[in-house]
Amino acid sequence: MPNARPTIVIVGSLNVDYIASVERLPVAGETVPATHLIRRFGGKGANQAIAAARQGASVSMIGCLGHDAVGQTYRQRLRAEGIATAGVSMAPASPTGTALIAFDRQGENIIIVSAGANGELSPAMVRSRQGAILSARLLLLQLEVPLPAVIEAMKIANRASVPVVLNPSPLRKGFPWGRCALDTVIANSGEAQIIFGLGLRSISAWQRKLSGWRIERIIITRGAKPTLCISANGHMSVPALPVKPMDTVGAGDAFAGAYVARRVESMDELTAIRYANCAGALATLKPGAQEAIPGRAATERALQNIRRET
């Protein structure tokens, strides 16, 4: 019997976040005082896994934690969210990854990441979990773990025609664009323009680049501005949910998780992006990444409010 719920496999990072609240972000060489400091679980891979799980998807995680107390606690946290952790390895010689985050009163942030155990994720570890990828409805990736592991996961998925969604963040040199087929790329406007070397006005140029790089579509998030989706079949602009952000950490991860959760339910592209826009916006209303990620019910309420207003 097939799974009652769709299955998403996520290959990615797991970090412990240390988050400082500041009046304003420092410039180079400047020291600023923090008004608060908290510790939270994060990492783009785990954030997106939790976001998808809270939207009702069945999620399996492939990644690497340190063989330390915080790594054991993190594994338990994932299980509590309903995420399968058989693919999460424990690295004996590296600590769990760490992120240092500062955000200001406007909700803008800067992030410094120490990979730790995330840097131990290898192609062999990914191959050991290829059964999960081959049976998945969708594979979701980011670039916060070593590229060879990301590429291996893409190759496995491509061989089985499993759709691959890539969030190419943080930006990394050396990604083999065009060597593997991608169903969807999700990037913010800055990332998208750096990767593709294009402005946002020439849709035909984007379509040619997507075709050459074997990408079905690109979704470009732009904060409070409408989200753009460009594919060979055309393009659309999807309004964002208007909010007053408190903390933008994890908003993009909430977007990606909600988007893939809706995609594996065979929702149309427009509806999936509308859900994702709402999830991303709601995630900015609380501090922290995972703590702020909304569930399906809250996301649907926000979407219904938009529909009533329009």
Side-chain angles (χ1 to χ4, degrees), residues 186-203:
I186 300 173
N188 63 41
S189 58
E191 293 166 340
Q193 290 177 82
I194 290 171
I195 292 168
F196 290 84
L198 297 171
L200 297 181
R201 293 185 177 181
S202 179
I203 299 300

Side-chain angles (χ1 to χ4, degrees), residues 149-188:
V150 173
I151 294 167
E152 184 65 23
M154 288 193 299
K155 289 179 177 178
I156 293 169
N158 278 183
R159 287 197 294 268
S161 298
V162 174
V164 179
V165 175
L166 172 67
N167 173 215
S169 179
L171 290 178
R172 298 274 295 275
K173 293 182 179 179
F175 185 83
W177 296 102
R179 280 178 48 190
C180 294
L182 296 170
D183 177 272
T184 306
V185 171
I186 300 173
N188 63 41

